[in-house]
Amino acid sequence: EHYLYINNDSALISANLAIQFAEQKNLPKEKARGLLIRSKVMEQIGQPDNAIEDVVKAEKLFRDVQDEESATKCLNIQGNYHTRQDDQKEAIKCYTQALTYYRKVENHKGEAGCLINTAYLYPMEDIQRKNLASQGIAICREYGYDDFLAVGLGALSAYYFAL
């Protein structure tokens, strides 16, 4: 995916060609993947609304073919986009929906990530930040997710710093 940051025009043309081809051949998963690539380009060139729209379309396509795991990844991507756009309400909604799926399939890393991402959306002094970060940290410790653990500890330390 590093090519996306080198030449946005070429990346956008290629993504559009992939989407068109997949559509012509009736390949919904491949079309969804093309939409996700295009969404990254859209955000890179300063069109976050178009980026989110493509991710929502990809999520729907994945759901249409019963690929819940990929659809849930789309929810996380949407949550990330909304976070960067300072739309906490929508970000929390996306992460909460993803969290439900991750808990259902016992994807502990996804669960921890959603909890920690959501924790960061609350003000530093909000007890929700502490509770969500603490839950995510506990999962990280239990399963050895050191990368997420570091991020969760950051959310928790900000809470204590604000007190």
Side-chain angles (χ1 to χ4, degrees):
E1 296 177 0
H2 63 280
Y3 61 87
L4 294 176
Y5 304 103
I6 296 169
N7 190 333
N8 290 325
D9 292 337
S10 295
L12 186 57
I13 290 167
S14 297
N16 284 331
L17 287 172
I19 293 164
Q20 290 170 355
F21 180 80
E23 198 168 76
Q24 289 170 356
K25 298 294 182 179
N26 194 29
L27 302 168
K29 276 186 164 184
E30 287 72 16
K31 180 179 178 183
R33 289 184 186 108
L35 287 164
L36 290 176
I37 291 170
R38 187 171 73 184
S39 76
K40 292 178 183 184
V41 178
M42 289 288 129
E43 185 177 36
Q44 185 71 21
I45 63 175
Q47 296 182 20
D49 292 340
N50 291 336
I52 293 171
E53 184 179 314
D54 278 349
V55 177
V56 170
K57 288 177 185 176
E59 178 196 353
K60 182 183 180 330
L61 287 168
F62 284 129
R63 289 199 191 285
D64 289 348
V65 296
Q66 286 80 46
D67 185 346
E68 290 299 312
E69 182 178 350
S70 295
T72 301
K73 288 178 183 175
C74 289
L75 285 170
N76 271 326
I77 293 167
Q78 290 172 57
N80 294 341
Y81 281 141
H82 288 301
T83 298
R84 288 191 291 275
Q85 295 299 308
D86 292 324
D87 188 349
Q88 284 85 357
K89 183 179 176 186
E90 280 302 310
I92 290 170
K93 180 180 159 189
C94 292
Y95 291 139
T96 301
Q97 289 175 349
L99 179 62
T100 300
Y101 171 79
Y102 287 135
R103 284 181 169 161
K104 181 175 89 174
V105 300
E106 297 182 13
N107 179 331
H108 303 296
K109 192 165 192 174
E111 179 182 4
C114 286
L115 289 165
I116 292 166
N117 284 342
T118 306
Y120 270 103
L121 295 168
Y122 287 91
M124 288 195 308
E125 68 281 354
D126 194 315
I127 192 71
Q128 270 298 91
R129 177 184 274 246
K130 177 187 178 224
N131 293 340
L132 292 164
S134 296
Q135 289 175 50
I137 288 167
I139 292 168
C140 291
R141 284 189 172 141
E142 182 176 349
Y143 294 97
Y145 304 135
D146 292 342
D147 52 344
F148 281 25
L149 178 59
V151 176
L153 290 169
L156 189 59
S157 66
Y159 168 79
Y160 287 114
F161 177 76
L163 294 180

